Amino acid sequence: MAFQPHEKEVSEFVAARRIGEWISFTRNGVEVNGTIFKIMDNSVIVEISPEDAKEIGAASNMTVISHKKYKIVEA
């Protein structure tokens, strides 16, 4: 028996996100800026600078951030 996928309602905030958009978030007490690399249901993958990655203890310059934990950086 196969289960039918159900459509998940997407918030306006998530629907408005775009690849390459600048965001800001705080991790380990450090404010970090980066660009959205991939948008997922509950989070985004963000590309950050190698320096920021080292400062926050990330294994690479890509990190995952919940939609609830970042804000958009206005140009």
Side-chain angles (χ1 to χ4, degrees), residues 39-55:
I39 303 165
M40 299 178 290
D41 288 342
N42 298 312
S43 58
V44 290
I45 297 177
V46 181
E47 185 173 13
I48 60 176
S49 73
E51 294 80 16
D52 283 342
K54 185 176 180 181
E55 190 169 356

Side-chain angles (χ1 to χ4, degrees), residues 10-18 39:
V10 177
S11 73
E12 287 182 31
F13 178 79
V14 174
R17 301 295 53 92
R18 298 290 175 254
I39 303 165

